[in-house]
Amino acid sequence: MYRTVLALSAIGLLLAAAEIKKRKRKIRRNRTKWFHMLKELITPLIQRQNTNYRDCISVGERLMVTLRFLATGESFKSLSYQFRMGVSTIRQFVPETCTAIYEVLKEKYLKCPDTVEEWQQVADGFQAQWNFPNCLGALDGKHINIRPPPGTGSTYYNYKHTFSIVLMALVDSNYKFLYVDVGCNGRISDGGVFGGCSLQDALENRTANIPAPAPLPASDQAVCYSIVADEAFPLKELLMKPYPNRRLAVEQRIFNYRLSRARRVVENAFGIQANRFRVFLTTINIQDTAKVEAIVLACCGLHNFLLTENCSAYMAGVVDQEGPDHGTVPGRWRQDPELWQATLPHTTNNPARAKQHRDELCQYFNGVGAVPFQWDKI
């Protein structure tokens, strides 16, 4: 009997090992497929011709070095030793390759919704997954550490006491970037960056083709569509943020929980991106901010590309999860100290109509729109 149990255990271990090997082979095949797909797409943009004096660096080598740089954040000098290329050569073609990656991916994988139907799909995703109706996305900013350009003084110096540019992103319920804006200096707050980007202008001028106000589920109360954000942003009719202060009524705390539950997807999107493209955990050693912008945009395009092509493998173990009681199980990205949030500056711009909109949602979340588990989370 004892030998039979041992034999069955050994068979089980062998089957598990075989399954793990099979899974690893599948991942390797997918990586090879994605690499060749990217190579074919960018070849027309960065292909160089051989000369009588020497052969050019192939597209495959350029892409390999660039992906290595994005995935590890290694210095150009370290990459030059690994790939036997000059430091100045790598410094030149990495931003060029990143620009090409962004150009070939932006139309299919990084396209902002521009029709009522596309925005409605985003809102349906937030309602289905995060129980937040009429939501067009989660908005936040991320500081990308850089070496400040010469002569800029404290222009790029941020509240975290580093030099940076800001990546402003709107994310859907599946952690995909819907809209990105890169390049604003880190001294400006998230609310200020949003105020100067094209998305804010499109929303304010009603040129984004967002849906008209619609009734909330199980209610006949028509409420306009909005974006969820944190305290660093101004409260607007199209931009919802939590109630301020600590002494809040139970109803207001419920609203803050429901909004934060939906807004968390943008934090996770940044966490997934920084965990997979660890160049975001370093100070990018390039003083030309245009080249840094190309690197950031390429990572955003690759994030959506990998999320679309193989979601489970790309996000495995990285993103936050919800347990059986809807409690948050922190993802692996939260273990990196570089990704911890510093204290955010507060804003006080709270127009009356925006406050009324927030109160309407608060009343809905505490009434017919309530979910059973929310009372245990405050």
Side-chain angles (χ1 to χ4, degrees):
M1 181 67 181
Y2 180 69
R3 292 180 178 178
T4 303
V5 172
L6 287 178
L8 291 174
S9 300
I11 293 173
L13 290 174
L14 289 173
L15 291 175
E19 183 63 27
I20 292 174
K21 288 182 178 179
K22 181 180 178 181
R23 194 177 306 160
K24 288 182 176 179
R25 286 196 298 268
K26 182 179 179 180
I27 292 174
R28 284 195 294 268
R29 286 196 301 269
N30 286 336
R31 287 175 178 173
T32 302
K33 179 183 71 174
W34 298 333
F35 179 85
H36 288 293
M37 186 185 305
L38 280 175
K39 178 183 173 183
E40 292 177 3
L41 290 173
I42 67 174
T43 293
L45 300 180
I46 63 171
Q47 178 68 62
R48 299 293 184 269
Q49 297 296 325
N50 296 332
T51 68
N52 294 330
Y53 300 99
R54 62 179 180 180
D55 293 339
C56 67
I57 300 175
S58 68
V59 174
E61 290 175 309
R62 289 168 180 260
L63 181 58
M64 191 183 306
V65 174
T66 300
L67 293 178
R68 177 72 178 179
F69 169 72
L70 298 179
T72 64
E74 293 186 56
S75 66
F76 292 138
K77 189 172 184 179
S78 173
L79 293 171
S80 72
Y81 289 133
Q82 295 179 45
F83 292 93
R84 301 297 189 268
M85 297 179 185
V87 176
S88 60
T89 302
I90 295 176
R91 187 183 297 274
Q92 178 180 351
F93 73 67
V94 163
E96 293 176 354
T97 307
C98 287
T99 301
I101 291 173
Y102 173 67
E103 289 296 325
V104 299
L105 296 181
K106 66 179 182 179
E107 290 300 327
K108 182 177 180 181
Y109 297 98
L110 201 59
K111 180 179 177 294
C112 184
D114 57 3
T115 66
V116 173
E117 291 75 17
E118 290 175 344
W119 284 117
Q120 188 62 56
Q121 289 180 2
V122 175
D124 292 343
F126 273 96
Q127 171 61 21
Q129 293 183 239
W130 307 111
N131 306 111
F132 201 101
N134 293 15
C135 180
L136 301 178
L139 183 72
D140 203 359
K142 177 178 175 57
H143 288 268
I144 312 297
N145 292 335
I146 63 169
R147 285 185 60 195
T152 56
S154 61
T155 301
Y156 292 89
Y157 193 71
N158 62 45
Y159 72 98
K160 295 183 177 181
H161 310 297
T162 60
F163 294 92
S164 67
I165 61 173
V166 179
L167 164 62
M168 180 65 57
L170 181 69
V171 178
D172 72 2
S173 60
N174 295 313
Y175 314 104
K176 291 182 182 178
F177 294 120
L178 299 174
Y179 170 87
V180 292
D181 180 89
V182 189
C184 191
N185 65 76
R187 191 171 183 173
I188 300 178
S189 67
D190 286 350
V193 176
F194 177 68
C197 70
S198 58
L199 177 63
Q200 195 268 351
D201 293 336
L203 293 175
E204 291 291 336
N205 298 326
R206 300 296 194 272
T207 59
N209 292 324
I210 62 175
L216 300 175
S219 171
D220 56 358
Q221 181 182 8
V223 174
C224 67
Y225 287 77
S226 59
I227 293 170
V228 293
D230 59 23
E231 299 90 342
F233 292 86
L235 178 65
K236 297 185 178 183
E237 189 174 4
L238 295 174
L239 188 63
M240 285 290 99
K241 72 174 188 177
Y243 284 101
N245 303 324
R246 295 182 179 179
R247 296 181 179 179
L248 299 176
V250 173
E251 294 79 6
Q252 293 174 328
R253 291 164 62 192
I254 290 293
F255 172 84
N256 284 0
Y257 164 70
R258 295 285 294 273
L259 183 140
S260 297
R261 186 167 177 260
R263 188 194 59 79
R264 195 175 61 215
V265 294
V266 67
E267 292 183 359
N268 277 269
F270 287 145
I272 297 167
Q273 186 185 48
N275 194 273
R276 297 310 190 194
F277 300 102
R278 301 190 75 83
V279 68
F280 288 118
L281 302 183
T282 66
T283 298
I284 301 178
N285 192 21
I286 299 177
Q287 291 185 311
D288 186 346
T289 56
K291 293 182 179 180
V292 178
E293 292 172 22
I295 291 171
V296 175
L297 289 172
C299 289
C300 292
L302 288 170
H303 169 87
N304 281 8
F305 170 73
L306 295 173
L307 204 57
T308 302
E309 297 299 329
N310 197 332
C311 176
S312 58
Y314 180 61
M315 294 198 308
V318 181
V319 69
D320 290 347
Q321 302 288 337
E322 284 195 344
D325 61 345
H326 294 275
T328 302
V329 180
R332 191 169 66 244
W333 71 268
R334 293 188 183 273
Q335 300 173 8
D336 288 313
E338 294 87 349
L339 297 176
W340 294 349
Q341 287 282 346
T343 303
L344 294 171
H346 293 274
T347 59
T348 57
N349 182 13
N350 300 324
R353 182 66 188 94
K355 287 184 176 180
Q356 181 181 349
H357 181 197
R358 182 167 62 183
D359 291 339
E360 290 171 353
L361 286 173
C362 179
Q363 182 180 3
Y364 173 76
F365 288 147
N366 286 274
V368 295
V371 292
F373 55 84
Q374 68 184 25
W375 311 104
D376 300 327
K377 303 302 178 183
I378 60 173

